[in-house]
């Protein structure tokens, strides 16, 4: 939480919140629970991977905005990379 500087929600609530947002805008994603470091403090983080092309970038930005708002986050990192992925 950007105001309290600590995690206010359980990992399960955070994951369910993120999933409920993501599923409104994309067909699928992979979530990882991990540790992050911010301002020299270790904190729980959730990494979300969405495989797509540039046609859904607007949806991804909407997802980020909603996650920031609902979980009261100062920022959400977005990494965009070229990839050759195929689901078979």
């Amino acid at each position: 939480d950007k105001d309290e500087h600590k995690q206010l929600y359980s990992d399960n609530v955070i994951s369910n919140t993120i999933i409920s947002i993501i599923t409104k805008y994309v067909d699928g994603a992979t979530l990882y629970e991990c540790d992050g470091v911010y301002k020299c403090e270790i904190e729980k983080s959730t990494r979300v991977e969405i495989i797509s092309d540039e046609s859904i970038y607007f949806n991804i930005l909407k997802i980020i905005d909603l996650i920031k708002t609902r979980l009261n986050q100062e920022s959400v990192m977005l990494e965009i990379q070229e990839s050759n992925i195929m689901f078979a």
Side-chain angles (χ1 to χ4, degrees), residues 5-60:
H5 304 287
K6 64 182 179 178
Q7 183 172 323
L8 298 181
Y9 305 107
S10 70
D11 294 342
N12 192 40
V13 168
I14 291 169
S15 292
N16 288 337
T17 300
I18 293 170
I19 289 167
S20 72
I21 293 168
I22 288 172
T23 55
K24 292 177 183 169
Y25 296 95
V26 296
D27 291 333
T30 302
L31 278 66
Y32 303 91
E33 290 182 10
C34 53
D35 292 326
V37 179
Y38 181 66
K39 296 185 178 180
C40 299
E41 296 287 331
I42 297 174
E43 60 185 12
K44 293 291 182 189
S45 295
T46 302
R47 180 182 174 109
V48 179
E49 292 183 355
I50 299 171
I51 307 301
S52 71
D53 59 25
E54 59 275 350
S55 68
I56 69 160
Y57 284 169
F58 177 78
N59 286 355
I60 291 172

